[in-house]
């Protein structure tokens, strides 16, 4: 306890030097906590964007349907399983590749055929910003992503033509009125999607009861894996035609994107590691200077009977305190930024949203506060600082007291 | 050479040599020194720079080990003690007063004194009273909360004396204790040390080449070129002023 108190006093002996040395640690740890919170937020963002617009909590597909999320082969559409016994909400859908033509402009689009009585139970439309009204059941109408509408110059009430292949591979094209412009949690949908009622899609695609996806809502992402396993085990996924549909949780659906985020985490760790190594050298330099400047004082402590290991411990504790102190400040600053953006969100510019292209991501990223990187970075900082203090501690502990007490 | 007084010597050096490597050469700081110090002495080791005064005090103070010969402190051969044991001896039995005061600058006067008591392993009960008493005895009751930088040189050396005294050591070693003080403060510090010696019987050994300091010593061991060239009890001292069991210089 006494060594701790003495070490603390020594740290403030040269406040300016202590502050400068601490700055690198503060910066490194703030960066780590903030970076981690941002990447965790991106994870949440991906998962939320996918869950609320395309996958639900669990997404079912016909057995041969591709899972890359990039191709939407209608020929793989199949009669869906009845899901008898499943108590959650279900939203059968047909996703299809389409071309939207508006006057002389045309663009590739993702057609989303939905069941109007079921879809909103899985996909929380109240979170979306909708201009206009959703398509009427008896009319040839569609809703369109607002970014796509801007791209094509489409306004509410405008007529567009949707070209697509039917289930049998024949080309078809029908005209629809755009009754709603939709802004979801998912920039990918806003850039590409056209929502069409299932009955209208039947006419365009000749579906004959076939579907490409069923999204399930099970009341929270945490339960998804358990529910998915139960569904698979119960045989519920077997359709009337004998084909067994596949089931993936949202997290599994977003695995590739989450893997990219894991790479980002590693990159942050490497960057912070480099910063902390530089900070460690700074701490080593500071503690070495302190040891050289205080040779006579060390000699005095030895003369007074302080044990060599206690003298060494004094310098180790000084280094550790420097690391922990700077770590607490850095982690606090990083945490404050994470908590601020967790509430207020980081709004991505429209240009950035266009650039992110095919990723499901919302235009507002909320960072995610997590204690693990805070404690992890504090421990890392204390470790680096203590490591950096090993040499000065060894130097101080091995001084000859007879020489040291008379040092200049 | 000295002859023994009554009882056992507090410390005894027998044919002690101390060599220091200096590049390819070896410098002999002590060339076979023998001396005994008795409890209650107030003894000066005198001589010019490089004569070996500080080296002798380092050896007696367990700060260093001899290259050859024996150094006994309270009957123990300190040359055979391990580092940690030497540290224990220093902490419990020896007080130091340095030329440059050597106070810990981040600690107050009180804390500097308390540090020595704490390191000595003294009972924590009554520690506060002992520290305060030590500072009061050197006239610094009103300066306990000041740091060394807020004290004059004389006051700092008084704190150092209090620090040395607080653990009631068998021996206090003072290496040129007045060298960094003006004559007035130097004389006051010596008077204080002498009073402590007279009141408590604490043994004081100090090095000096200052005639004023030597004039107050009860015994003067003169060194030159690593050897004892004189060991005397000044004639001016009346017999009753001599150390309780002081030897007769020879």
């Amino acid at each position: 306890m006494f060594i701790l108190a003495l070490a603390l006093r020594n740290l403030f002996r040269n406040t300016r030097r202590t502050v400068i040395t601490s700055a690198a640690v503060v910066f490194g740890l703030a960066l780590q906590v903030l970076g981690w919170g941002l990447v965790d937020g991106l994870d949440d963002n991906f998962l939320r964007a996918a869950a609320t617009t395309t996958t639900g909590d669990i997404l079912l597909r016909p057995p041969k349907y591709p899972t890359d999320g990039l191709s939407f082969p209608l020929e793989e559409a199949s009669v869906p399983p009845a899901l008898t016994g499943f108590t959650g909400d279900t939203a059968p859908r047909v996703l299809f590749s389409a071309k939207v033509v508006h006057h002389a402009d045309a663009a590739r689009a993702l057609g989303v055929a939905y069941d109007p009585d079921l879809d909103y139970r899985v996909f929380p439309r109240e979170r979306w910003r909708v201009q206009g009204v959703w398509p009427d059941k008896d009319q040839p109408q569609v809703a369109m992503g607002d970014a796509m509408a801007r791209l094509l110059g489409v306004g509410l009430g405008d007529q567009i033509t949707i070209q697509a292949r039917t289930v049998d591979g024949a080309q078809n094209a029908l005209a629809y009125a755009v009754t709603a412009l939709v802004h979801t949690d998912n920039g990918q949908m806003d850039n590409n999607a056209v929502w069409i009622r299932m009955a209208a899609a039947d006419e365009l695609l000749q579906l004959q009861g076939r579907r490409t996806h069923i999204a399930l809502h099970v009341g929270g992402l945490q339960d998804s894996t358990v529910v998915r396993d139960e569904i698979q085990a119960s045989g519920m996924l077997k359709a009337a035609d004998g084909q067994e549909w596949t089931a993936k949780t949202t997290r599994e659906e977003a695995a590739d994107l989450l893997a990219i985020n894991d790479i980002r985490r590693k990159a942050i760790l490497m960057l912070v590691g480099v910063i902390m190594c530089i900070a460690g050298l700074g701490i080593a330099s500071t503690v070495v200077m302190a040891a050289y400047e205080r040779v006579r004082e060390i000699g005095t402590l030895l003369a007074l009977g302080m044990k060599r290991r206690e003298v060494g411990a004094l310098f180790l504790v000084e280094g550790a305190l420097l690391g922990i102190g700077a770590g607490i400040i850095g982690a606090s600053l990083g945490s404050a930024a994470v908590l601020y953006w967790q509430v207020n969100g980081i709004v991505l510019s429209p240009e950035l949203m266009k650039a992110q292209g095919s990723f499901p991501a919302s235009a507002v990223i909320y960072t995610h506060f997590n204690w693990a990187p805070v404690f992890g970075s504090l421990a890392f900082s204390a470790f680096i600082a203590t490591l950096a203090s090993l040499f000065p501690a060894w130097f101080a502990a091995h001084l000859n007291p007879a020489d040291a007490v008379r040092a200049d | 050479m000295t002859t023994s007084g009554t009882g056992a010597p507090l410390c005894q050096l027998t044919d002690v040599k101390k060599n220091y490597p200096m590049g390819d050469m070896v410098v002999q700081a002590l060339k076979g020194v023998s001396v005994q110090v008795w409890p209650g002495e107030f003894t000066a080791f005198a001589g010019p720079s490089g004569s070996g005064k500080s080296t002798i005090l380092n050896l007696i103070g367990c700060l260093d080990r001899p290259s050859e010969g024996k150094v006994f402190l309270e009957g123990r051969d300190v040359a055979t003690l391990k580092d940690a044991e030497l540290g224990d001896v220093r902490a419990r039995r020896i007080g130091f007063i340095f030329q440059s005061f050597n106070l810990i600058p981040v600690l107050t006067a009180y804390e500097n004194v308390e540090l020595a008591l704490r390191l000595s392993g003294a009972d924590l009960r009554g520690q506060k009273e002992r520290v305060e008493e030590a500072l009061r005895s050197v006239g610094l009751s009103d300066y306990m909360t000041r740091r060394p930088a807020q004290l004059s040189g004389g006051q700092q050396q008084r704190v150092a004396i209090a620090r040395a005294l607080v653990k009631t050591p068998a021996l206090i070693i003072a290496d040129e204790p007045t060298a960094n003080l003006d004559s007035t403060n130097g004389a006051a510090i010596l008077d204080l040390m002498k009073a402590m010696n007279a009141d408590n019987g604490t043994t004081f050994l100090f090095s000096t080449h200052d005639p004023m300091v030597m004039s107050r010593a009860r015994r003067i061991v003169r060194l030159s070129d690593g050897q004892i060239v004189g060991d005397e009890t000044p004639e001016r001292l009346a017999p009753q002023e001599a150390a309780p069991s002081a030897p007769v210089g020879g």
Side-chain angles (χ1 to χ4, degrees):
Chain A
M1 201 59 196
F2 177 73
I3 286 178
L4 186 68
L6 187 56
L8 203 57
R9 296 264 185 100
N10 284 332
L11 275 185
F12 291 100
R13 188 183 283 227
N14 191 332
T15 310
R16 186 182 301 173
R17 189 164 69 193
T18 301
V19 167
I20 290 172
T21 305
S22 306
V25 178
V26 170
F27 175 71
L29 294 201
L31 181 70
Q32 179 172 355
V33 173
L34 176 58
W36 212 268
L38 189 58
V39 176
D40 280 353
L42 280 174
D43 273 1
D44 291 349
N45 188 26
F46 287 158
L47 293 172
R48 186 179 62 246
T52 58
T53 59
T54 57
T55 65
D57 297 333
I58 299 171
L59 188 63
L60 311 184
R61 292 186 181 86
K64 294 179 185 171
Y65 199 87
T67 57
D68 57 11
L70 300 173
S71 54
F72 305 95
L74 210 50
E75 60 271 25
E76 299 299 343
S78 175
V79 176
L83 297 175
T84 309
F86 178 69
T87 54
D89 294 315
T90 65
R93 279 181 163 186
V94 174
L95 302 186
F96 60 98
S97 297
K99 185 177 178 183
V100 173
V101 180
H102 178 239
H103 301 311
D105 296 321
R108 292 197 169 279
L110 172 66
V112 181
Y114 65 94
D115 184 326
D117 296 327
L118 300 175
D119 207 67
Y120 69 92
R121 293 182 184 174
V122 175
F123 301 109
R125 291 183 184 175
E126 68 276 7
R127 294 170 59 106
W128 304 352
R129 289 203 312 271
V130 179
Q131 297 176 55
V133 294
W134 285 91
D136 188 89
K137 64 177 182 178
D138 297 323
Q139 302 294 325
Q141 296 174 343
V142 293
M144 178 180 273
D146 61 352
M148 186 180 198
R150 279 196 299 276
L151 180 72
L152 292 174
V154 173
L156 286 175
D158 284 359
Q159 289 282 324
I160 61 168
T161 300
I162 298 179
Q163 297 176 0
R165 289 185 183 278
T166 67
V167 168
D168 300 324
Q171 284 280 5
N172 198 3
L174 291 172
Y176 299 91
V178 176
T179 61
L181 301 179
V182 181
H183 185 89
T184 68
D185 278 337
N186 185 342
Q188 179 188 17
M189 300 298 277
D190 301 343
N191 285 336
N192 299 300
V194 176
W195 284 264
I196 181 169
R197 295 172 71 104
M198 196 63 80
D202 264 334
E203 185 184 2
L204 177 67
L205 307 171
Q206 305 296 308
L207 293 170
Q208 300 162 11
R210 283 175 279 194
R211 302 289 181 262
T212 61
H213 297 80
I214 302 175
L216 309 182
H217 178 59
V218 298
L221 294 173
Q222 284 77 12
D223 303 322
S224 302
T225 306
V226 176
V227 175
R228 191 272 318 275
D229 291 344
E230 286 173 358
I231 290 172
Q232 282 180 329
S234 68
M236 210 181 275
L237 296 177
K238 188 167 280 190
D241 59 4
Q243 293 196 86
E244 183 152 348
W245 281 41
T246 62
K248 276 183 158 186
T249 64
T250 305
R251 186 166 285 277
E252 289 165 342
E253 288 288 335
D256 290 346
L257 296 175
L258 298 181
I260 291 172
N261 281 347
D262 279 340
I263 293 170
R264 289 191 175 115
R265 284 189 187 88
K266 285 172 186 160
I268 289 170
L269 276 183
M270 285 174 65
L271 181 63
V272 170
V274 170
I275 292 171
M276 290 304 290
C277 283
I278 295 168
L281 289 174
I283 291 170
S285 165
T286 295
V287 185
V288 164
M289 275 196 283
Y292 278 104
E293 284 171 0
R294 283 156 45 194
V295 167
R296 191 201 300 170
E297 195 175 313
I298 296 164
T300 305
L301 291 172
L302 290 169
L304 292 177
M306 186 177 266
K307 305 279 189 299
R308 289 187 182 279
R309 59 183 158 76
E310 291 173 328
V311 171
L314 178 64
F315 281 85
L316 285 180
V317 170
E318 280 182 32
L321 282 178
L322 191 62
I324 291 170
I328 287 173
I329 295 170
S332 300
L333 288 175
S335 299
V338 170
L339 289 169
Y340 175 80
W341 279 314
Q342 183 168 290
V343 173
N344 297 296
I346 301 169
V347 181
L348 302 182
S349 67
E351 290 73 24
L352 201 58
M353 287 306 295
K354 278 182 193 167
Q356 59 87 32
S358 61
F359 292 149
S362 111
V364 182
I365 292 176
Y366 295 91
T367 50
H368 181 118
F369 180 75
N370 192 341
W371 282 107
V374 175
F375 287 123
S377 57
L378 274 178
F380 185 46
S381 167
F383 171 73
I384 288 282
T386 308
L387 194 68
S389 307
L390 279 179
F391 170 70
W394 179 88
F395 166 81
H398 285 81
L399 282 172
N400 177 4
D403 299 332
V405 289
R406 291 180 186 82
D408 292 330
Chain B
M1 287 297 293
T2 61
T3 58
S4 66
T6 57
L10 179 62
C11 67
Q12 178 173 347
L13 277 65
T14 307
D15 198 21
V16 167
K17 294 176 184 172
K18 181 66 185 178
N19 304 328
Y20 292 107
M22 192 168 286
D24 295 335
M25 297 173 57
V26 174
V27 175
Q28 275 196 299
L30 293 178
K31 300 171 179 174
V33 168
S34 296
V35 69
Q36 290 178 320
V37 175
W38 302 87
E41 282 193 22
F42 195 73
T43 297
F45 285 83
S49 288
S51 58
K53 314 183 292 289
S54 296
T55 307
I56 280 193
L57 292 185
N58 284 346
L59 295 173
I60 295 172
C62 297
L63 290 172
D64 211 348
R65 290 190 175 87
S67 305
E68 289 180 44
K70 302 279 188 187
V71 177
F72 290 95
L73 183 71
E74 295 184 310
R76 298 170 79 188
D77 183 359
V78 298
T80 63
L81 298 180
K82 294 175 181 170
D83 266 0
E85 292 170 320
L86 284 177
D88 274 343
V89 173
R90 290 196 299 268
R92 294 169 198 277
R93 305 301 295 155
I94 304 172
F96 289 94
I97 300 168
F98 300 100
Q99 177 181 336
S100 302
F101 323 133
N102 287 33
L103 300 177
I104 308 299
V106 293
L107 301 180
T108 62
Y110 178 93
E111 290 165 336
N112 265 284
V113 177
E114 183 192 32
L115 171 67
L117 193 57
R118 190 185 286 261
L119 290 173
S120 75
D123 193 340
L124 291 175
R125 284 172 300 183
Q127 199 172 80
K128 184 170 182 289
E129 291 73 19
R130 286 179 69 178
V131 173
E132 287 174 352
E133 171 58 24
L135 283 164
R136 190 195 58 73
S137 70
V138 296
L140 289 178
S141 295
D142 296 334
Y143 298 88
M144 290 189 193
T145 56
R146 294 203 184 176
R147 291 194 176 182
Q150 298 168 314
L151 297 170
S152 70
Q155 287 169 330
Q156 289 188 53
Q157 199 61 305
R158 284 168 185 269
V159 175
I161 293 171
R163 181 176 68 181
L165 279 171
V166 72
K167 55 191 179 186
T168 55
L171 172 65
I172 289 181
I173 288 175
D175 189 7
E176 307 217 23
T178 60
N180 280 355
L181 299 174
D182 58 46
S183 57
T184 309
N185 270 310
I189 289 296
L190 275 173
D191 288 342
L192 184 59
M193 287 166 56
K194 203 160 184 177
M196 300 292 177
N197 169 255
D199 294 347
N200 309 327
T202 309
T203 307
F204 277 80
L205 302 183
F206 47 95
S207 63
T208 186
H209 52 252
D210 180 347
M212 184 274 285
V213 177
M214 279 186 263
S215 71
R216 295 176 191 240
R218 290 204 181 93
R219 177 185 173 194
I220 301 171
V221 179
R222 295 186 187 277
L223 288 133
S224 177
D225 197 23
Q227 292 178 308
I228 294 177
V229 295
D231 189 348
E232 59 203 55
T233 303
E235 289 176 2
R236 61 181 167 70
L237 292 178
Q240 67 271 22
E241 278 189 272
S245 53
V248 178

